[in-house]
Amino acid sequence: MRHARGFTLIELLLATVLLVAGLALAFTTLGAASRTVTRGEAIGEHSERVRSVSTFLRRRLTGARPVGFAFDQTRAVAMRFVGEPQRMRFVADLPDYLGRGGPYLHDLSVVDDGEGVRLVISMSMVLAGEVVEERPERPPEVLADNLREVRFRYRALDERGRMGDWQDRWEASEQLPLQVEITLVDRNGRAWPPLVVAPPLAPAFSSFNVPLETQ
């Protein structure tokens, strides 16, 4: 009776090498797939973050109203829109479902804590042209963090009735600008899609250089 021949040492080593190579290939494939999924989730989260913040800012600005929230003693005019490179203040209604319906001062500002830039917003009720201070005071809410840069710019018609250049400051605080631009850049240098909003009820003739009384 003939006995079955066993595996030789070389055959066992070859089988082991093939098994190790197969496992290495499998782990490499799984790692690549995992990184792809993680990268896809990160891109999805970033896109959703950009969409939600941009939608919020657009809705707030398109809901802006020419309502005064303070009085400029030096110019003897009601302040309805104050725009700076890293701060913007205007009045807009809040929806009733937030439990804070009515006109509220929206105070958008940029905070740099040394580790990154944040875009925050504070809201205060406006009554009879003045801001009503809440007690206890509500802390600012963070709209976006982990940013490198946030910038606000403003635009109006010039004296010839043409679209003027973008300005870092909105000087005509008694009226709303024709357009507002918000630029946000992530900490890694990736710029968000440009956001340009036209507040409603902004006078089509608004200009930086033409006094309101003569328009």
Side-chain angles (χ1 to χ4, degrees):
M1 182 175 179
R2 181 177 298 178
H3 295 284
R5 185 176 66 86
F7 293 105
T8 65
L9 180 59
I10 294 178
E11 291 173 333
L12 290 174
L13 289 175
L14 181 59
T16 303
V17 170
L18 292 175
L19 177 61
V20 171
L23 290 174
L25 179 61
F27 280 119
T28 301
T29 303
L30 288 174
S34 178
R35 289 191 294 272
T36 300
V37 171
T38 301
R39 186 164 55 251
E41 290 177 348
I43 294 174
E45 290 177 0
H46 179 266
S47 298
E48 178 60 25
R49 175 191 180 206
V50 170
R51 187 195 65 79
S52 60
V53 173
S54 299
T55 299
F56 176 85
L57 292 172
R58 184 178 299 277
R59 287 179 177 175
R60 295 297 88 215
L61 282 166
T62 55
R65 298 174 52 190
V67 174
F69 57 85
F71 191 78
D72 187 344
Q73 298 289 346
T74 60
R75 301 176 60 228
V77 296
M79 300 172 65
R80 298 183 175 91
F81 194 105
V82 176
E84 302 170 4
Q86 295 192 321
R87 189 180 183 188
M88 179 165 45
R89 287 173 287 169
F90 59 91
V91 176
D93 286 339
L94 286 187
D96 293 334
Y97 67 80
L98 291 179
R100 302 168 64 183
Y104 272 75
L105 173 65
H106 290 53
D107 190 345
L108 286 160
S109 59
V110 181
V111 177
D112 188 349
D113 58 9
E115 298 181 357
V117 174
R118 293 176 294 161
L119 175 61
V120 302
I121 184 170
S122 299
M123 299 183 186
S124 303
M125 180 180 291
V126 175
L127 184 62
E130 296 183 355
V131 175
V132 179
E133 300 294 339
E134 295 188 26
R135 292 291 183 270
E137 185 177 353
R138 294 175 181 262
E141 300 180 16
V142 178
L143 292 179
D145 55 7
N146 294 321
L147 301 172
R148 175 186 295 181
E149 178 187 358
V150 180
R151 183 181 62 179
F152 304 142
R153 295 199 302 173
Y154 316 93
R155 206 176 191 186
L157 299 181
D158 60 20
E159 294 179 344
R160 296 174 296 177
R162 300 176 181 177
M163 189 67 74
D165 296 331
W166 287 106
Q167 305 289 333
D168 291 329
R169 295 182 181 275
W170 179 251
E171 304 292 350
S173 59
E174 69 276 10
Q175 56 184 297
L176 276 61
L178 199 62
Q179 290 182 327
V180 176
E181 179 191 63
I182 302 177
T183 301
L184 297 98
V185 180
D186 280 342
R187 183 180 294 181
N188 59 10
R190 178 172 48 182
W192 291 29
L195 179 62
V196 177
V197 184
L201 305 178
F205 46 76
S206 61
S207 168
F208 285 104
N209 303 314
V210 182
L212 185 64
E213 296 90 313
T214 63
Q215 297 176 3

